[in-house]
Amino acid sequence: GFVPKEGEKNLYTAGRLEQLLNVDKRLVMVDFTADWCLTCKTLEKTVLNTDAIQMALKEKEVVQLVADWTEVNSKTGLEIEAELERLGKGKQLPMIAFYSPEQEAEPKTLVAVYTASDIHKILGQLKK
């Protein structure tokens, strides 16, 4: 299986998400981001990558994937677009999505703006 190293930024691919959920039965958080998305960068700095949130994610053993949509027409870019479409929240960034093997059909998403308490709330609802 695909085993991410602790704290490593693991790049999203459709196959990797599939593997983590269906084979490894892991909770997964995908950060949909892009170099041209300034809000993404700000939220990553001020919320997502803070020690408190990173700790909370580790405690729940959530695997983090970064869906980098900078190159919209690359293979991965197209996979990301397809996933954003499937999530049905409009193809806007930033978005973070929480997937669990139990509730795979309905990932929990935070769109446009999210706070630390939003993330804590979702983490509290996630079931392995």
Side-chain angles (χ1 to χ4, degrees), residues 73-120:
N73 294 320
S74 64
K75 180 179 184 291
T76 304
L78 295 169
E79 287 184 356
I80 289 169
E81 184 175 3
E83 185 61 19
L84 286 169
E85 218 147 75
R86 189 180 83 84
L87 290 168
K89 300 284 191 269
K91 290 186 290 193
Q92 56 168 323
L93 302 184
M95 166 158 26
I96 50 179
F98 295 82
Y99 299 79
S100 75
E102 281 298 291
Q103 305 147 311
E104 196 202 343
E106 297 172 40
K108 298 180 185 306
T109 53
L110 295 171
V111 186
V113 174
Y114 55 83
T115 64
S117 63
D118 291 333
I119 294 175
H120 285 301

mmCIF file of all heavy atoms in Angstrom, residues 73-120:
data_model
loop_
_atom_site.group_PDB
_atom_site.id
_atom_site.type_symbol
_atom_site.label_atom_id
_atom_site.label_comp_id
_atom_site.label_asym_id
_atom_site.label_seq_id
_atom_site.Cartn_x
_atom_site.Cartn_y
_atom_site.Cartn_z
ATOM 1 N N ASN A 73 -4.655 21.488 -16.565
ATOM 2 C CA ASN A 73 -4.787 20.531 -17.664
ATOM 3 C C ASN A 73 -3.867 19.323 -17.589
ATOM 4 O O ASN A 73 -3.817 18.506 -18.493
ATOM 5 C CB ASN A 73 -4.601 21.238 -19.006
ATOM 6 C CG ASN A 73 -5.737 22.222 -19.248
ATOM 7 O OD1 ASN A 73 -6.889 21.932 -18.947
ATOM 8 N ND2 ASN A 73 -5.403 23.400 -19.764
ATOM 9 N N SER A 74 -3.127 19.201 -16.476
ATOM 10 C CA SER A 74 -2.284 18.014 -16.317
ATOM 11 C C SER A 74 -3.182 16.818 -15.991
ATOM 12 O O SER A 74 -4.362 16.980 -15.678
ATOM 13 C CB SER A 74 -1.293 18.229 -15.180
ATOM 14 O OG SER A 74 -1.999 18.366 -13.963
ATOM 15 N N LYS A 75 -2.618 15.626 -16.038
ATOM 16 C CA LYS A 75 -3.387 14.419 -15.714
ATOM 17 C C LYS A 75 -3.996 14.550 -14.313
ATOM 18 O O LYS A 75 -5.189 14.340 -14.104
ATOM 19 C CB LYS A 75 -2.483 13.186 -15.793
ATOM 20 C CG LYS A 75 -3.196 11.886 -15.472
ATOM 21 C CD LYS A 75 -2.230 10.694 -15.593
ATOM 22 C CE LYS A 75 -2.955 9.372 -15.363
ATOM 23 N NZ LYS A 75 -3.382 9.213 -13.948
ATOM 24 N N THR A 76 -3.165 14.922 -13.358
ATOM 25 C CA THR A 76 -3.658 15.079 -11.988
ATOM 26 C C THR A 76 -4.657 16.228 -11.905
ATOM 27 O O THR A 76 -5.667 16.134 -11.209
ATOM 28 C CB THR A 76 -2.484 15.326 -11.017
ATOM 29 O OG1 THR A 76 -1.562 14.249 -11.148
ATOM 30 C CG2 THR A 76 -2.961 15.391 -9.573
ATOM 31 N N GLY A 77 -4.381 17.301 -12.628
ATOM 32 C CA GLY A 77 -5.296 18.442 -12.653
ATOM 33 C C GLY A 77 -6.690 18.029 -13.084
ATOM 34 O O GLY A 77 -7.694 18.447 -12.504
ATOM 35 N N LEU A 78 -6.756 17.182 -14.094
ATOM 36 C CA LEU A 78 -8.048 16.712 -14.595
ATOM 37 C C LEU A 78 -8.720 15.773 -13.591
ATOM 38 O O LEU A 78 -9.940 15.794 -13.422
ATOM 39 C CB LEU A 78 -7.881 16.037 -15.963
ATOM 40 C CG LEU A 78 -7.423 16.997 -17.075
ATOM 41 C CD1 LEU A 78 -7.014 16.237 -18.333
ATOM 42 C CD2 LEU A 78 -8.495 18.038 -17.397
ATOM 43 N N GLU A 79 -7.909 14.965 -12.903
ATOM 44 C CA GLU A 79 -8.468 14.092 -11.850
ATOM 45 C C GLU A 79 -9.039 14.937 -10.711
ATOM 46 O O GLU A 79 -10.080 14.623 -10.149
ATOM 47 C CB GLU A 79 -7.386 13.156 -11.297
ATOM 48 C CG GLU A 79 -7.006 12.043 -12.246
ATOM 49 C CD GLU A 79 -5.990 11.070 -11.645
ATOM 50 O OE1 GLU A 79 -5.511 11.297 -10.515
ATOM 51 O OE2 GLU A 79 -5.678 10.073 -12.327
ATOM 52 N N ILE A 80 -8.331 16.020 -10.386
ATOM 53 C CA ILE A 80 -8.793 16.917 -9.324
ATOM 54 C C ILE A 80 -10.104 17.582 -9.739
ATOM 55 O O ILE A 80 -11.059 17.645 -8.967
ATOM 56 C CB ILE A 80 -7.714 17.975 -9.004
ATOM 57 C CG1 ILE A 80 -6.533 17.295 -8.295
ATOM 58 C CG2 ILE A 80 -8.281 19.105 -8.142
ATOM 59 C CD1 ILE A 80 -5.294 18.168 -8.165
ATOM 60 N N GLU A 81 -10.153 18.030 -10.993
ATOM 61 C CA GLU A 81 -11.372 18.665 -11.486
ATOM 62 C C GLU A 81 -12.559 17.696 -11.414
ATOM 63 O O GLU A 81 -13.657 18.068 -10.993
ATOM 64 C CB GLU A 81 -11.179 19.150 -12.918
ATOM 65 C CG GLU A 81 -12.388 19.892 -13.436
ATOM 66 C CD GLU A 81 -12.177 20.505 -14.820
ATOM 67 O OE1 GLU A 81 -11.100 20.306 -15.408
ATOM 68 O OE2 GLU A 81 -13.104 21.182 -15.289
ATOM 69 N N ALA A 82 -12.308 16.449 -11.793
ATOM 70 C CA ALA A 82 -13.371 15.441 -11.751
ATOM 71 C C ALA A 82 -13.861 15.224 -10.320
ATOM 72 O O ALA A 82 -15.058 15.084 -10.064
ATOM 73 C CB ALA A 82 -12.868 14.121 -12.350
ATOM 74 N N GLU A 83 -12.931 15.219 -9.378
ATOM 75 C CA GLU A 83 -13.305 15.019 -7.973
ATOM 76 C C GLU A 83 -14.080 16.228 -7.443
ATOM 77 O O GLU A 83 -15.079 16.072 -6.750
ATOM 78 C CB GLU A 83 -12.052 14.753 -7.130
ATOM 79 C CG GLU A 83 -12.332 14.407 -5.685
ATOM 80 C CD GLU A 83 -13.174 13.141 -5.487
ATOM 81 O OE1 GLU A 83 -13.271 12.306 -6.414
ATOM 82 O OE2 GLU A 83 -13.740 12.992 -4.398
ATOM 83 N N LEU A 84 -13.652 17.426 -7.798
ATOM 84 C CA LEU A 84 -14.378 18.632 -7.388
ATOM 85 C C LEU A 84 -15.804 18.594 -7.938
ATOM 86 O O LEU A 84 -16.761 18.957 -7.254
ATOM 87 C CB LEU A 84 -13.657 19.894 -7.885
ATOM 88 C CG LEU A 84 -12.371 20.260 -7.140
ATOM 89 C CD1 LEU A 84 -11.612 21.356 -7.901
ATOM 90 C CD2 LEU A 84 -12.657 20.714 -5.718
ATOM 91 N N GLU A 85 -15.929 18.115 -9.168
ATOM 92 C CA GLU A 85 -17.248 17.994 -9.780
ATOM 93 C C GLU A 85 -18.111 16.999 -8.999
ATOM 94 O O GLU A 85 -19.272 17.238 -8.715
ATOM 95 C CB GLU A 85 -17.096 17.528 -11.231
ATOM 96 C CG GLU A 85 -18.059 18.176 -12.168
ATOM 97 C CD GLU A 85 -17.430 18.370 -13.550
ATOM 98 O OE1 GLU A 85 -17.302 17.361 -14.266
ATOM 99 O OE2 GLU A 85 -17.046 19.511 -13.883
ATOM 100 N N ARG A 86 -17.507 15.871 -8.640
ATOM 101 C CA ARG A 86 -18.216 14.838 -7.902
ATOM 102 C C ARG A 86 -18.668 15.339 -6.528
ATOM 103 O O ARG A 86 -19.736 14.982 -6.042
ATOM 104 C CB ARG A 86 -17.299 13.612 -7.731
ATOM 105 C CG ARG A 86 -17.987 12.387 -7.162
ATOM 106 C CD ARG A 86 -17.014 11.239 -7.018
ATOM 107 N NE ARG A 86 -16.251 11.321 -5.780
ATOM 108 C CZ ARG A 86 -16.694 10.876 -4.600
ATOM 109 N NH1 ARG A 86 -17.885 10.352 -4.476
ATOM 110 N NH2 ARG A 86 -15.929 10.966 -3.523
ATOM 111 N N LEU A 87 -17.844 16.173 -5.912
ATOM 112 C CA LEU A 87 -18.185 16.709 -4.591
ATOM 113 C C LEU A 87 -19.348 17.691 -4.674
ATOM 114 O O LEU A 87 -20.025 17.943 -3.682
ATOM 115 C CB LEU A 87 -16.963 17.384 -3.954
ATOM 116 C CG LEU A 87 -15.847 16.428 -3.514
ATOM 117 C CD1 LEU A 87 -14.579 17.196 -3.186
ATOM 118 C CD2 LEU A 87 -16.274 15.573 -2.333
ATOM 119 N N GLY A 88 -19.554 18.243 -5.874
ATOM 120 C CA GLY A 88 -20.751 19.019 -6.141
ATOM 121 C C GLY A 88 -20.897 20.323 -5.385
ATOM 122 O O GLY A 88 -22.005 20.782 -5.138
ATOM 123 N N LYS A 89 -19.787 20.938 -5.008
ATOM 124 C CA LYS A 89 -19.876 22.205 -4.284
ATOM 125 C C LYS A 89 -19.487 23.378 -5.186
ATOM 126 O O LYS A 89 -19.184 24.460 -4.726
ATOM 127 C CB LYS A 89 -18.942 22.185 -3.056
ATOM 128 C CG LYS A 89 -19.256 21.107 -2.053
ATOM 129 C CD LYS A 89 -20.483 21.461 -1.226
ATOM 130 C CE LYS A 89 -20.666 20.549 -0.046
ATOM 131 N NZ LYS A 89 -21.466 19.379 -0.242
ATOM 132 N N GLY A 90 -19.477 23.117 -6.463
ATOM 133 C CA GLY A 90 -18.982 24.148 -7.379
ATOM 134 C C GLY A 90 -17.470 24.030 -7.411
ATOM 135 O O GLY A 90 -16.863 23.702 -6.405
ATOM 136 N N LYS A 91 -16.886 24.266 -8.559
ATOM 137 C CA LYS A 91 -15.445 24.054 -8.652
ATOM 138 C C LYS A 91 -14.702 25.278 -8.163
ATOM 139 O O LYS A 91 -14.102 26.007 -8.940
ATOM 140 C CB LYS A 91 -15.069 23.686 -10.077
ATOM 141 C CG LYS A 91 -15.562 22.299 -10.437
ATOM 142 C CD LYS A 91 -15.087 21.856 -11.782
ATOM 143 C CE LYS A 91 -15.750 22.630 -12.888
ATOM 144 N NZ LYS A 91 -15.534 22.031 -14.202
ATOM 145 N N GLN A 92 -14.794 25.539 -6.875
ATOM 146 C CA GLN A 92 -14.095 26.696 -6.345
ATOM 147 C C GLN A 92 -13.122 26.269 -5.263
ATOM 148 O O GLN A 92 -13.365 25.328 -4.523
ATOM 149 C CB GLN A 92 -15.087 27.712 -5.798
ATOM 150 C CG GLN A 92 -16.020 27.156 -4.740
ATOM 151 C CD GLN A 92 -16.791 28.264 -4.016
ATOM 152 O OE1 GLN A 92 -16.248 29.335 -3.762
ATOM 153 N NE2 GLN A 92 -18.038 27.995 -3.691
ATOM 154 N N LEU A 93 -12.026 26.979 -5.230
ATOM 155 C CA LEU A 93 -11.037 26.763 -4.192
ATOM 156 C C LEU A 93 -11.089 27.964 -3.258
ATOM 157 O O LEU A 93 -11.558 29.018 -3.652
ATOM 158 C CB LEU A 93 -9.640 26.644 -4.812
ATOM 159 C CG LEU A 93 -9.436 25.539 -5.848
ATOM 160 C CD1 LEU A 93 -7.982 25.517 -6.284
ATOM 161 C CD2 LEU A 93 -9.841 24.192 -5.319
ATOM 162 N N PRO A 94 -10.596 27.843 -2.046
ATOM 163 C CA PRO A 94 -10.121 26.600 -1.440
ATOM 164 C C PRO A 94 -11.271 25.689 -1.011
ATOM 165 O O PRO A 94 -12.382 26.134 -0.788
ATOM 166 C CB PRO A 94 -9.367 27.102 -0.203
ATOM 167 C CG PRO A 94 -9.960 28.433 0.099
ATOM 168 C CD PRO A 94 -10.409 29.012 -1.202
ATOM 169 N N MET A 95 -10.930 24.420 -0.924
ATOM 170 C CA MET A 95 -11.846 23.454 -0.357
ATOM 171 C C MET A 95 -11.016 22.386 0.326
ATOM 172 O O MET A 95 -9.974 21.975 -0.194
ATOM 173 C CB MET A 95 -12.710 22.817 -1.428
ATOM 174 C CG MET A 95 -13.399 21.583 -0.888
ATOM 175 S SD MET A 95 -14.878 20.965 -1.676
ATOM 176 C CE MET A 95 -14.859 21.455 -3.315
ATOM 177 N N ILE A 96 -11.462 21.965 1.505
ATOM 178 C CA ILE A 96 -10.866 20.772 2.082
ATOM 179 C C ILE A 96 -11.982 19.762 2.257
ATOM 180 O O ILE A 96 -13.121 20.107 2.570
ATOM 181 C CB ILE A 96 -10.101 21.032 3.406
ATOM 182 C CG1 ILE A 96 -10.933 21.817 4.395
ATOM 183 C CG2 ILE A 96 -8.778 21.721 3.149
ATOM 184 C CD1 ILE A 96 -10.207 22.060 5.718
ATOM 185 N N ALA A 97 -11.653 18.520 1.978
ATOM 186 C CA ALA A 97 -12.653 17.446 2.031
ATOM 187 C C ALA A 97 -12.144 16.321 2.917
ATOM 188 O O ALA A 97 -10.963 15.958 2.853
ATOM 189 C CB ALA A 97 -12.937 16.933 0.623
ATOM 190 N N PHE A 98 -13.038 15.821 3.744
ATOM 191 C CA PHE A 98 -12.704 14.742 4.673
ATOM 192 C C PHE A 98 -13.426 13.479 4.248
ATOM 193 O O PHE A 98 -14.651 13.462 4.153
ATOM 194 C CB PHE A 98 -13.118 15.122 6.097
ATOM 195 C CG PHE A 98 -12.349 16.290 6.646
ATOM 196 C CD1 PHE A 98 -12.724 17.582 6.334
ATOM 197 C CD2 PHE A 98 -11.235 16.088 7.452
ATOM 198 C CE1 PHE A 98 -12.008 18.674 6.828
ATOM 199 C CE2 PHE A 98 -10.509 17.164 7.945
ATOM 200 C CZ PHE A 98 -10.899 18.455 7.638
ATOM 201 N N TYR A 99 -12.660 12.426 4.007
ATOM 202 C CA TYR A 99 -13.213 11.158 3.532
ATOM 203 C C TYR A 99 -13.012 10.103 4.607
ATOM 204 O O TYR A 99 -11.959 10.052 5.229
ATOM 205 C CB TYR A 99 -12.462 10.675 2.290
ATOM 206 C CG TYR A 99 -12.512 11.598 1.101
ATOM 207 C CD1 TYR A 99 -11.697 12.721 1.032
ATOM 208 C CD2 TYR A 99 -13.359 11.330 0.026
ATOM 209 C CE1 TYR A 99 -11.721 13.573 -0.076
ATOM 210 C CE2 TYR A 99 -13.385 12.171 -1.088
ATOM 211 C CZ TYR A 99 -12.570 13.280 -1.130
ATOM 212 O OH TYR A 99 -12.596 14.108 -2.235
ATOM 213 N N SER A 100 -14.019 9.272 4.799
ATOM 214 C CA SER A 100 -13.813 8.131 5.688
ATOM 215 C C SER A 100 -14.318 6.888 4.989
ATOM 216 O O SER A 100 -15.278 6.948 4.215
ATOM 217 C CB SER A 100 -14.522 8.338 7.029
ATOM 218 O OG SER A 100 -15.898 8.160 6.875
ATOM 219 N N PRO A 101 -13.669 5.744 5.247
ATOM 220 C CA PRO A 101 -14.082 4.498 4.592
ATOM 221 C C PRO A 101 -15.561 4.206 4.862
ATOM 222 O O PRO A 101 -16.267 3.705 3.993
ATOM 223 C CB PRO A 101 -13.189 3.436 5.244
ATOM 224 C CG PRO A 101 -11.995 4.190 5.730
ATOM 225 C CD PRO A 101 -12.496 5.551 6.104
ATOM 226 N N GLU A 102 -16.030 4.544 6.055
ATOM 227 C CA GLU A 102 -17.417 4.312 6.440
ATOM 228 C C GLU A 102 -18.400 5.146 5.625
ATOM 229 O O GLU A 102 -19.464 4.699 5.254
ATOM 230 C CB GLU A 102 -17.608 4.702 7.913
ATOM 231 C CG GLU A 102 -17.110 3.665 8.886
ATOM 232 C CD GLU A 102 -17.870 2.355 8.747
ATOM 233 O OE1 GLU A 102 -19.056 2.326 9.102
ATOM 234 O OE2 GLU A 102 -17.278 1.371 8.259
ATOM 235 N N GLN A 103 -18.050 6.411 5.424
ATOM 236 C CA GLN A 103 -18.980 7.348 4.787
ATOM 237 C C GLN A 103 -18.413 7.817 3.457
ATOM 238 O O GLN A 103 -18.499 8.987 3.110
ATOM 239 C CB GLN A 103 -19.201 8.553 5.717
ATOM 240 C CG GLN A 103 -19.664 8.143 7.103
ATOM 241 C CD GLN A 103 -19.133 9.092 8.189
ATOM 242 O OE1 GLN A 103 -17.945 9.405 8.226
ATOM 243 N NE2 GLN A 103 -19.993 9.538 9.073
ATOM 244 N N GLU A 104 -17.866 6.880 2.721
ATOM 245 C CA GLU A 104 -17.097 7.242 1.527
ATOM 246 C C GLU A 104 -17.917 8.016 0.509
ATOM 247 O O GLU A 104 -17.424 8.900 -0.168
ATOM 248 C CB GLU A 104 -16.520 5.978 0.874
ATOM 249 C CG GLU A 104 -15.424 6.312 -0.113
ATOM 250 C CD GLU A 104 -15.206 5.231 -1.135
ATOM 251 O OE1 GLU A 104 -15.656 4.088 -0.913
ATOM 252 O OE2 GLU A 104 -14.594 5.533 -2.169
ATOM 253 N N ALA A 105 -19.197 7.668 0.405
ATOM 254 C CA ALA A 105 -20.044 8.306 -0.604
ATOM 255 C C ALA A 105 -20.269 9.791 -0.301
ATOM 256 O O ALA A 105 -20.555 10.565 -1.205
ATOM 257 C CB ALA A 105 -21.375 7.580 -0.695
ATOM 258 N N GLU A 106 -20.154 10.155 0.964
ATOM 259 C CA GLU A 106 -20.439 11.537 1.321
ATOM 260 C C GLU A 106 -19.324 12.178 2.129
ATOM 261 O O GLU A 106 -19.427 12.297 3.350
ATOM 262 C CB GLU A 106 -21.735 11.606 2.119
ATOM 263 C CG GLU A 106 -22.934 11.136 1.334
ATOM 264 C CD GLU A 106 -24.180 11.026 2.212
ATOM 265 O OE1 GLU A 106 -24.368 11.922 3.072
ATOM 266 O OE2 GLU A 106 -24.928 10.065 2.027
ATOM 267 N N PRO A 107 -18.280 12.603 1.432
ATOM 268 C CA PRO A 107 -17.202 13.291 2.141
ATOM 269 C C PRO A 107 -17.737 14.587 2.742
ATOM 270 O O PRO A 107 -18.663 15.191 2.206
ATOM 271 C CB PRO A 107 -16.184 13.596 1.039
ATOM 272 C CG PRO A 107 -16.567 12.741 -0.110
ATOM 273 C CD PRO A 107 -18.021 12.492 -0.005
ATOM 274 N N LYS A 108 -17.166 14.994 3.857
ATOM 275 C CA LYS A 108 -17.550 16.269 4.471
ATOM 276 C C LYS A 108 -16.616 17.342 3.928
ATOM 277 O O LYS A 108 -15.406 17.161 3.908
ATOM 278 C CB LYS A 108 -17.408 16.174 5.995
ATOM 279 C CG LYS A 108 -18.319 15.112 6.594
ATOM 280 C CD LYS A 108 -18.144 15.048 8.108
ATOM 281 C CE LYS A 108 -18.943 13.928 8.732
ATOM 282 N NZ LYS A 108 -20.377 13.941 8.413
ATOM 283 N N THR A 109 -17.195 18.435 3.473
ATOM 284 C CA THR A 109 -16.363 19.461 2.833
ATOM 285 C C THR A 109 -16.501 20.819 3.518
ATOM 286 O O THR A 109 -17.552 21.151 4.072
ATOM 287 C CB THR A 109 -16.774 19.643 1.353
ATOM 288 O OG1 THR A 109 -18.183 19.875 1.288
ATOM 289 C CG2 THR A 109 -16.419 18.420 0.528
ATOM 290 N N LEU A 110 -15.418 21.561 3.472
ATOM 291 C CA LEU A 110 -15.421 22.969 3.887
ATOM 292 C C LEU A 110 -14.987 23.769 2.669
ATOM 293 O O LEU A 110 -13.926 23.515 2.106
ATOM 294 C CB LEU A 110 -14.449 23.188 5.047
ATOM 295 C CG LEU A 110 -14.794 22.480 6.366
ATOM 296 C CD1 LEU A 110 -13.642 22.596 7.354
ATOM 297 C CD2 LEU A 110 -16.079 23.038 6.976
ATOM 298 N N VAL A 111 -15.824 24.714 2.266
ATOM 299 C CA VAL A 111 -15.575 25.444 1.027
ATOM 300 C C VAL A 111 -15.364 26.932 1.293
ATOM 301 O O VAL A 111 -16.009 27.501 2.172
ATOM 302 C CB VAL A 111 -16.767 25.280 0.053
ATOM 303 C CG1 VAL A 111 -16.452 25.909 -1.298
ATOM 304 C CG2 VAL A 111 -17.099 23.803 -0.139
ATOM 305 N N ALA A 112 -14.462 27.509 0.502
ATOM 306 C CA ALA A 112 -14.191 28.954 0.475
ATOM 307 C C ALA A 112 -13.442 29.444 1.709
ATOM 308 O O ALA A 112 -12.315 29.892 1.606
ATOM 309 C CB ALA A 112 -15.465 29.760 0.267
ATOM 310 N N VAL A 113 -14.059 29.374 2.872
ATOM 311 C CA VAL A 113 -13.362 29.804 4.077
ATOM 312 C C VAL A 113 -13.583 28.756 5.146
ATOM 313 O O VAL A 113 -14.684 28.233 5.277
ATOM 314 C CB VAL A 113 -13.884 31.166 4.585
ATOM 315 C CG1 VAL A 113 -13.253 31.528 5.911
ATOM 316 C CG2 VAL A 113 -13.587 32.250 3.554
ATOM 317 N N TYR A 114 -12.548 28.418 5.874
ATOM 318 C CA TYR A 114 -12.724 27.479 6.978
ATOM 319 C C TYR A 114 -11.901 27.939 8.164
ATOM 320 O O TYR A 114 -10.915 28.642 8.018
ATOM 321 C CB TYR A 114 -12.367 26.055 6.567
ATOM 322 C CG TYR A 114 -10.976 25.895 5.980
ATOM 323 C CD1 TYR A 114 -9.854 25.758 6.805
ATOM 324 C CD2 TYR A 114 -10.774 25.868 4.601
ATOM 325 C CE1 TYR A 114 -8.574 25.609 6.268
ATOM 326 C CE2 TYR A 114 -9.500 25.712 4.061
ATOM 327 C CZ TYR A 114 -8.416 25.589 4.900
ATOM 328 O OH TYR A 114 -7.160 25.448 4.379
ATOM 329 N N THR A 115 -12.346 27.535 9.349
ATOM 330 C CA THR A 115 -11.650 27.915 10.576
ATOM 331 C C THR A 115 -11.180 26.657 11.294
ATOM 332 O O THR A 115 -11.606 25.546 10.964
ATOM 333 C CB THR A 115 -12.597 28.669 11.529
ATOM 334 O OG1 THR A 115 -13.640 27.760 11.917
ATOM 335 C CG2 THR A 115 -13.203 29.888 10.857
ATOM 336 N N ALA A 116 -10.353 26.858 12.283
ATOM 337 C CA ALA A 116 -9.888 25.736 13.092
ATOM 338 C C ALA A 116 -11.067 25.007 13.723
ATOM 339 O O ALA A 116 -11.106 23.783 13.744
ATOM 340 C CB ALA A 116 -8.930 26.242 14.166
ATOM 341 N N SER A 117 -12.058 25.770 14.207
ATOM 342 C CA SER A 117 -13.175 25.091 14.865
ATOM 343 C C SER A 117 -14.013 24.285 13.865
ATOM 344 O O SER A 117 -14.561 23.241 14.211
ATOM 345 C CB SER A 117 -14.038 26.063 15.678
ATOM 346 O OG SER A 117 -14.625 27.010 14.842
ATOM 347 N N ASP A 118 -14.096 24.754 12.619
ATOM 348 C CA ASP A 118 -14.773 23.954 11.574
ATOM 349 C C ASP A 118 -14.096 22.596 11.433
ATOM 350 O O ASP A 118 -14.751 21.555 11.307
ATOM 351 C CB ASP A 118 -14.689 24.649 10.198
ATOM 352 C CG ASP A 118 -15.527 25.910 10.128
ATOM 353 O OD1 ASP A 118 -16.527 26.013 10.864
ATOM 354 O OD2 ASP A 118 -15.167 26.802 9.329
ATOM 355 N N ILE A 119 -12.767 22.616 11.416
ATOM 356 C CA ILE A 119 -12.014 21.378 11.226
ATOM 357 C C ILE A 119 -12.186 20.466 12.439
ATOM 358 O O ILE A 119 -12.457 19.273 12.303
ATOM 359 C CB ILE A 119 -10.523 21.674 10.959
ATOM 360 C CG1 ILE A 119 -10.392 22.398 9.606
ATOM 361 C CG2 ILE A 119 -9.708 20.370 10.947
ATOM 362 C CD1 ILE A 119 -8.987 22.852 9.267
ATOM 363 N N HIS A 120 -12.086 21.035 13.640
ATOM 364 C CA HIS A 120 -12.274 20.231 14.853
ATOM 365 C C HIS A 120 -13.650 19.569 14.871
ATOM 366 O O HIS A 120 -13.796 18.416 15.274
ATOM 367 C CB HIS A 120 -12.096 21.099 16.104
ATOM 368 C CG HIS A 120 -10.658 21.423 16.396
ATOM 369 N ND1 HIS A 120 -9.704 20.449 16.625
ATOM 370 C CD2 HIS A 120 -10.008 22.608 16.484
ATOM 371 C CE1 HIS A 120 -8.528 21.028 16.843
ATOM 372 N NE2 HIS A 120 -8.684 22.332 16.762
#
